[in-house]
Amino acid sequence: MTDHTEHVEIALTDELLGIRRRLHRHPERSFKEFETSMRLRNMLESHGITVLDNPLDTGVIGEIKGEHDGPQIGLRADIDALPVHEDSGLVFASENEGVMHACGHDIHMTSLLGAAFWLAAHRELIHGTIRLVFQPAEELGQGARAVADAGLVDGLDAMIGTHNNPDYKPGQIAVGVDPMMAGCVKFRVNLHAQGTHAGYPHRGTGPLEAMAAMVLSLQTIVSRNASPFHPLVISVTEVHGGDVWNVVPAEAGFQGTARYFHREDGDLAERRFRQVIESTAAAYDIAVDYVWDDFQRPLVSDPDLATLAMSHVPEYAQLEPIHPSMAGEDFAEYEGHTRLLFAFIGSNGSEGCADLHSPKFVALDDAVKTGAEFYANSALEVLEHLS
């Protein structure tokens, strides 16, 4: 790389450890990350990093201009927490009742800060501009879209993101050209029938039998329509209908989610979903309305950038194969605006460790170092590659 021939090493300093603990102690829900945003702003400014105007209520956008002209890229970390009561046993467990960084976003923020502090102190190596995107509301699947709609990623030639992954150990990084996180669908179905006395079911058109038929039939989309070589999940997660033992209800409904990695599978699931719902409602002579909200695309890195990262990761970390996740990640929303590079950063790796979103989830401190080095090295590599 121009003026930079060795990989970046970032120490896990007392400052970074303290930051990680403060952020973990004070988690905040999506779009309510007010204290978190204030802390991030102050820490960036204390290291001489410019903080840009942000029309959103939460989130922080920093900027590091290199000493040389070049492209503009973004580094993104999500900042929100989950409505989970922490049971991790950590001495720095959440002090905000019922809220926890159960997805490790405190690791993401601290890693990006570690990279930002190093990059700000080595501007002579930067050929271009690095925008630091501390994004709100990833857990709602709405934060990336809000950031993009606010114009905060306009003009970027690439975006780099990470997510900690407890299936890998600190010091391990999974990055590549394969799909990493699933496309996400929320669906909801409402059935409208003619309620009646439970002793006279022939005088109505109860919705419960139709709902049961729909729920069972939806499972055949995966078992009988989708390729067994392409992961596809359709899960009904909530049903409702009726509240009296001797009344056939007039209304019922259910909701759930679909997850996919390939666009054609998402299209297949939607087409068959509509056919099952509409034809079953007709067969039972009831009315139905439904929503199929395909709100988040699968997350796949740009092949060129992923190949670049794969060639450099072994210089400072252990490169691992991608084990794709059926969880969603709204970083994929930035694909409509720029090229993406994304990596899993090992955060635990011990046998039987708690998974993401568990009240017992523990991300190890050493994950901060791995994440920070991926951010910093990838930023310099991508800037040079795009120059």
Side-chain angles (χ1 to χ4, degrees), residues 97-376:
E97 183 67 27
V99 185
M100 175 190 176
H101 272 302
C103 206
H105 294 185
D106 54 320
I107 293 289
H108 304 171
M109 289 184 279
T110 310
S111 296
L112 183 50
L113 287 169
F117 298 165
W118 190 95
L119 290 165
H122 295 82
R123 295 174 190 260
E124 73 280 2
L125 299 178
I126 301 174
H127 290 252
T129 301
I130 298 172
R131 194 172 302 170
L132 309 167
V133 180
F134 291 90
Q135 177 208 299
E138 186 277 332
E139 296 295 354
L140 293 181
Q142 299 174 12
R145 191 173 303 177
V147 167
D149 288 347
L152 298 174
V153 297
D154 289 354
L156 295 184
D157 298 293
M159 285 276 284
I160 300 170
T162 69
H163 204 293
N164 84 93
N165 190 320
D167 293 337
Y168 302 90
K169 298 177 181 179
Q172 295 179 330
I173 296 175
V175 62
V177 299
D178 297 326
M180 300 190 71
M181 302 188 78
C184 296
V185 175
K186 298 177 185 176
F187 62 77
R188 183 177 69 253
V189 178
N190 298 308
L191 294 81
H192 313 286
Q194 177 62 52
T196 185
H197 192 290
Y200 300 90
H202 60 290
R203 296 180 179 177
T205 55
L208 298 182
E209 296 81 5
M211 180 172 66
M214 290 175 183
V215 170
L216 291 174
S217 294
L218 289 178
Q219 304 311 304
T220 66
I221 296 175
V222 174
S223 65
R224 288 294 179 266
N225 301 121
S227 167
F229 302 102
H230 282 191
L232 175 65
V233 169
I234 298 178
S235 295
V236 175
T237 57
E238 185 268 344
V239 296
H240 58 272
D243 53 14
V244 180
W245 70 276
N246 60 351
V247 175
V248 175
E251 305 286 333
F254 61 93
Q255 62 181 345
T257 184
R259 305 294 170 102
Y260 63 92
F261 286 110
H262 301 274
R263 181 67 263 172
E264 61 269 26
D265 296 331
D267 294 340
L268 165 68
E270 179 179 7
R271 182 175 69 255
R272 291 291 293 124
F273 174 89
R274 294 179 183 276
Q275 290 170 344
V276 166
I277 298 305
E278 293 173 3
S279 62
T280 304
Y284 282 84
D285 194 26
I286 62 173
V288 66
D289 62 75
Y290 58 87
V291 174
W292 177 273
D293 181 12
D294 193 349
F295 71 96
Q296 197 164 287
R297 66 187 80 191
L299 177 54
V300 187
S301 291
D302 176 270
D304 195 27
L305 299 183
T307 301
L308 175 71
M310 290 173 68
S311 69
H312 286 283
V313 163
E315 298 171 2
Y316 58 91
Q318 182 177 332
L319 180 65
E320 292 289 316
I322 293 171
H323 303 302
S325 169
M326 276 295 178
E329 167 57 78
D330 75 352
F331 184 77
E333 292 298 317
Y334 296 121
E335 184 183 348
H337 301 269
T338 189
R339 302 165 69 181
L340 304 185
L341 173 61
F342 196 80
F344 290 143
I345 306 297
S347 60
N348 194 303
S350 61
E351 185 176 355
C353 67
D355 203 355
L356 300 171
H357 292 208
S358 166
K360 295 183 180 296
F361 171 73
V362 173
L364 302 178
D365 288 332
D366 286 344
V368 170
K369 175 178 172 63
T370 311
E373 290 181 352
F374 178 80
Y375 276 126

Side-chain angles (χ1 to χ4, degrees), residues 52-63:
L52 304 181
D53 290 338
N54 176 13
L56 303 178
D57 291 334
T58 59
V60 177
I61 309 297
E63 185 173 85

